[in-house]
Amino acid sequence: NDPQHWSSAYDFRILENILHTKYHTNREIESVFAELMQRNPLFVQFEAANEAYSSLKITDNIGETEESKIHILVLSSLFETSPLGREMTVNLARHVITAFKTKEPLMIELLKNSVIHFVTLNSKFDQVYDQFYRNVSICDPQMNEELGDRLLTAESDSLKNTFFQLFEKDSISLALTFTAGDDSNVQVLKDREPVYAQFAHDTQSHLGAQNQLCNSNPMRINENESLRKITNLIYRMFNLPLYSINLSCCKMPSENEIADIWRENIERILKFINLGRSGVTGYVKDVHQNPIREARVKVIGSAREQKVSANLGFFH
């Protein structure tokens, strides 16, 4: 139960992840990302900071071609009222960077062959935090027209389009988002893609965080149903499996609880990241070793069909 001993054993003694934890403002997250890039310019790049999101990219030999690398997206949340995922995303970025710098073998292998995009949802954070600041025991802030609901509407929406572009860019192979307030563990895609359900099973933790029983209410039920629909929508539109990890019963627990929630969920989060080390990669070429750029690849027994990359004919 000693946080610092735990940090030394499991989190490279990154004390920012467990001591004096807080909800960072958009500006503070930008500052953290900028500092991480400044300290590690060879494998970290601060990609973007705007009203919609902030984004940090981590891969070995940053700036070189990434076409034959696997792209993984870590998105803090699809719901503005769940800012807990922002803190998990920042903590994970620190963990991945430190693991790579200390030459942890699995992380070296992962970042040589993968690009991880860490994205925090910025829209409406100030409004959500204002509710929390006025009542720190609020648990579930409330907000109309959250991003997750807007993704499901037919109307044109600049914020929605921004996030659809995020899912589409760089041929993302795996995506992770964080939720709170729900204890269900239903794999939406398992009927069509049993391998994804197996992946989800393989990422389960022995720490029991996913087995908590959360009280249900109409808002949590609605958000859970929206997440199911979004998962199917993202798979249908972009051929992309979107995984979610439920962090806590409260969507915005007290700030000192953030450290415990990180400790409870780090195993599952890292197991997901390491899925990037699995699978099959290759190139489609003709007899003269020229890439066949219009080829499509399908695995027998899977409904998923994948385009090869535009220049090299690479697939994952």
Side-chain angles (χ1 to χ4, degrees):
N1 287 329
D2 183 332
Q4 294 200 35
H5 278 88
W6 176 89
S7 180
S8 297
Y10 298 105
D11 196 23
F12 305 102
R13 197 170 171 75
I14 306 170
L15 297 183
E16 297 95 326
N17 287 357
I18 57 160
L19 296 182
H20 311 298
T21 51
K22 55 173 283 187
Y23 291 107
H24 292 79
T25 66
N26 294 341
R27 185 65 60 84
E28 287 170 337
I29 287 179
E30 291 174 23
S31 178
V32 170
F33 282 178
E35 184 178 353
L36 291 174
M37 181 183 72
Q38 186 177 14
R39 291 182 177 180
N40 309 282
L42 297 180
F43 64 99
V44 179
Q45 180 179 324
F46 187 10
E47 289 188 291
N50 51 53
E51 292 183 359
Y53 63 83
S54 295
S55 178
L56 188 77
K57 178 170 72 175
I58 303 178
T59 186
D60 189 25
N61 293 320
I62 204 113
E64 295 186 2
T65 179
E66 298 168 355
E67 188 176 340
S68 58
K69 289 186 175 182
I70 299 157
H71 290 258
I72 301 170
L73 172 65
V74 178
L75 174 62
S76 63
S77 179
L78 289 162
F79 300 91
E80 286 90 343
T81 53
S82 297
L84 183 58
R86 291 165 36 117
E87 304 309 316
M88 298 300 106
T89 302
V90 172
N91 284 6
L92 180 60
R94 291 193 191 109
H95 181 96
V96 168
I97 288 170
T98 309
F100 187 78
K101 288 174 69 173
T102 56
K103 302 189 185 304
E104 200 275 327
L106 293 181
M107 197 60 69
I108 292 287
E109 178 188 349
L110 180 66
L111 292 184
K112 282 186 178 299
N113 299 297
S114 305
V115 183
I116 309 178
H117 304 267
F118 298 86
V119 178
T120 60
L121 176 59
N122 290 344
S123 66
K124 299 183 180 178
F125 173 79
D126 292 340
Q127 297 167 256
V128 172
Y129 188 78
D130 185 57
Q131 291 185 40
F132 177 79
Y133 182 77
R134 286 186 275 112
N135 179 11
V136 293
S137 61
I138 193 170
C139 189
D140 289 355
Q142 298 187 27
M143 187 72 57
N144 294 325
E145 293 187 333
E146 296 198 56
L147 172 64
D149 297 315
R150 293 161 71 174
L151 290 178
L152 298 171
T153 63
E155 293 82 10
S156 179
D157 182 311
S158 60
L159 182 65
K160 177 177 74 173
N161 294 337
T162 296
F163 275 88
F164 279 154
Q165 291 169 9
L166 194 64
F167 289 123
E168 191 172 27
K169 76 167 192 172
D170 293 322
S171 301
I172 301 290
S173 291
L174 285 169
L176 173 69
T177 190
F178 298 106
T179 63
D182 175 55
D183 60 342
S184 65
N185 190 28
V186 178
Q187 306 309 323
V188 182
L189 298 171
K190 66 180 179 182
D191 293 333
R192 283 176 294 170
E193 291 288 358
V195 66
Y196 295 148
Q198 182 62 44
F199 277 174
H201 180 269
D202 291 346
T203 61
Q204 293 305 299
S205 166
H206 300 294
L207 299 176
Q210 72 274 20
N211 296 321
Q212 59 194 317
L213 296 176
C214 302
N215 294 326
S216 183
N217 61 45
M219 185 176 66
R220 290 178 177 180
I221 293 172
N222 176 70
E223 183 172 312
N224 185 35
E225 184 59 28
S226 293
L227 181 63
R228 295 170 191 268
K229 292 177 180 178
I230 293 167
T231 301
N232 281 308
L233 178 69
I234 297 302
Y235 181 74
R236 189 169 63 249
M237 290 182 65
F238 306 113
N239 239 350
L240 174 63
L242 172 67
Y243 288 81
S244 58
I245 290 180
N246 184 59
L247 298 168
S248 163
C249 287
C250 276
K251 297 172 73 177
M252 197 167 187
S254 63
E255 292 182 304
N256 63 350
E257 292 181 69
I258 295 173
D260 289 336
I261 293 168
W262 170 244
R263 291 168 62 186
E264 290 170 359
N265 287 281
I266 186 173
E267 183 183 3
R268 282 194 293 165
I269 295 170
L270 291 176
K271 282 184 175 181
F272 169 85
I273 291 296
N274 275 294
L275 290 177
R277 299 171 53 245
S278 62
V280 178
T281 61
Y283 300 86
V284 180
K285 300 180 180 181
D286 63 19
V287 293
H288 303 293
Q289 297 301 300
N290 298 313
I292 304 178
R293 299 184 177 93
E294 301 300 318
R296 293 173 179 264
V297 177
K298 184 175 180 181
V299 176
I300 295 173
S302 167
R304 188 182 187 197
E305 186 178 270
Q306 184 180 348
K307 296 179 182 178
V308 299
S309 65
N311 295 314
L312 300 176
F314 172 80
F315 68 86
H316 168 240

